[in-house]
């Protein structure tokens, strides 16, 4: 099913990420972590569908998407970032395998944080955040999406990692409150003690594949790994 909805509000989140709030069709619902396919309601673009995760609360009167721009692709995200309130997008049915089961460890890379934003915001709204930890990797501090809110919700259980390094392996930038390097086997052994808890993983496909393999090799059950298959 398709719904043509108007954009209500657009706001910058980072240098290349914007938050879009759009009309919510009557009866439309989702679980935090789920997504839909969007396209722009313009001639020639109606069938150019791309998946985006909801980042609002389920009870909000609007739908929200937090979308990173990839201008080099000259595609949907580039066009979306050129839109204004009042422009229209086409919304479709809800789908997605990322759904909160119980407290655990969340591992995100870049724009892969978006399904977790909805989950953490819902848990915060329900005062049920306790027991969850986030490891969030980005190239630079300027790339971190909703850092202030994530720190507010999770406190010290929000761990931010900057992965961009210079030749020789030194961090590209050094800032208080961040770790440096990659989320690799050494990182996981150092920072995780309970491999029986659920693990929620979202990011580029190679990252998901690598971390899932590392976690199962360290004793995590494949049934406890939650990611978009």
């Amino acid at each position: 099913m398709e719904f043509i909805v108007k954009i209500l509000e657009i706001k910058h989140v980072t240098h290349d990420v914007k938050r879009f709030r759009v009309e919510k069709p009557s009866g439309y619902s989702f679980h935090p972590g789920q997504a839909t396919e969007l396209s722009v309601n313009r001639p020639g673009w109606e069938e150019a569908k791309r998946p985006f995760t909801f980042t609002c609360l389920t009870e909000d009167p609007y739908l929200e998407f937090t979308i990173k721009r990839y201008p080099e692709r000259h595609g949907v995200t580039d066009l979306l970032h050129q839109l204004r309130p009042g422009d229209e997008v086409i919304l479709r049915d809800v789908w997605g395998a990322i759904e909160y089961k119980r407290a655990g460890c969340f591992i995100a890379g870049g724009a892969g944080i978006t399904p977790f934003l909805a989950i953490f915001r819902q848990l915060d709204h329900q005062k049920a955040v306790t027991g969850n930890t986030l490891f969030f990797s980005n190239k630079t501090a300027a790339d971190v999406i909703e850092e202030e809110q994530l720190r507010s919700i999770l406190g010290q259980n929000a761990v931010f990692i900057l992965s961009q390094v210079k030749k020789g392996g030194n961090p590209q930038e050094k800032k208080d409150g961040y770790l440096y390097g990659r989320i690799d086997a050494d990182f996981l052994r150092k920072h995780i003690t309970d491999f029986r808890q659920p693990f929620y993983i979202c990011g580029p496909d190679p990252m998901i594949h690598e971390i899932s393999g590392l976690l199962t090799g360290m004793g995590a059950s494949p049934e406890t790994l939650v990611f978009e298959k």
Side-chain angles (χ1 to χ4, degrees):
M1 189 174 294
E2 295 184 347
F3 306 89
I4 297 175
V5 295
K6 287 184 179 180
I7 298 173
L8 303 173
E9 177 187 302
I10 303 174
K11 184 178 180 180
H12 271 285
V13 177
T14 73
H15 63 100
D16 62 355
V17 175
K18 286 184 177 180
R19 181 186 74 193
F20 295 80
R21 288 181 176 174
V22 307
E23 295 173 322
K24 185 177 185 178
S26 176
Y28 197 91
S29 63
F30 65 93
H31 295 297
Q34 289 188 307
T36 188
E37 287 187 325
L38 287 181
S39 57
V40 178
N41 191 30
R42 285 189 179 178
W45 288 91
E46 299 95 336
E47 295 303 316
K49 308 170 188 176
R50 296 294 182 274
F52 297 107
T53 307
F54 304 100
T55 55
C56 51
L57 298 177
T58 54
E59 56 262 53
D60 282 336
Y62 51 78
L63 297 174
E64 179 185 293
F65 304 92
T66 303
I67 298 174
K68 181 174 180 177
R69 184 180 195 175
Y70 298 92
E72 69 280 1
R73 300 178 186 175
H74 306 292
V76 173
T77 65
D78 191 37
L79 180 56
L80 282 166
H81 273 244
Q82 299 174 47
L83 299 182
R84 299 288 182 267
D87 288 336
E88 295 177 338
V89 295
I90 303 172
L91 179 74
R92 295 171 178 83
D93 291 335
V94 172
W95 57 271
I98 297 179
E99 188 172 351
Y100 186 73
K101 300 179 181 296
R102 58 185 174 89
C105 178
F106 291 75
I107 302 174
I113 191 65
T114 54
F116 302 159
L117 286 177
I119 290 171
F120 289 137
R121 286 168 173 170
Q122 197 74 35
L123 290 174
D124 186 50
H125 183 66
Q126 297 168 347
K127 302 188 186 307
V129 176
T130 301
N132 290 291
T133 301
L134 168 67
F135 295 105
F136 186 13
S137 176
N138 288 270
K139 289 182 179 179
T140 72
D143 297 320
V144 182
I145 297 170
E146 299 289 9
E147 178 180 355
E148 184 177 343
Q149 185 177 43
L150 289 168
R151 289 190 187 274
S152 175
I153 292 173
L154 291 157
Q156 294 183 342
N157 287 332
V159 180
F160 297 86
I161 306 103
L162 303 183
S163 62
Q164 194 169 80
V165 297
K166 300 177 182 178
K167 290 182 179 179
N170 292 321
Q172 185 72 29
E173 61 179 323
K174 287 190 176 182
K175 296 184 69 174
D176 290 339
Y178 297 88
L179 300 180
Y180 301 93
R182 296 180 65 250
I183 302 179
D184 55 15
D186 289 340
F187 182 97
L188 295 172
R189 290 191 195 96
K190 181 177 180 180
H191 295 281
I192 297 173
T193 57
D194 179 10
F195 288 92
R196 295 173 298 175
Q197 65 182 316
F199 289 92
Y200 304 86
I201 311 163
C202 193
D205 287 343
M207 172 190 168
I208 294 174
H209 179 77
E210 179 183 1
I211 291 178
S212 297
L214 290 172
L215 289 170
T216 54
M218 294 175 183
S221 168
E223 288 73 30
T224 67
L225 305 184
V226 180
F227 56 91
E228 201 58 63
K229 299 176 176 65

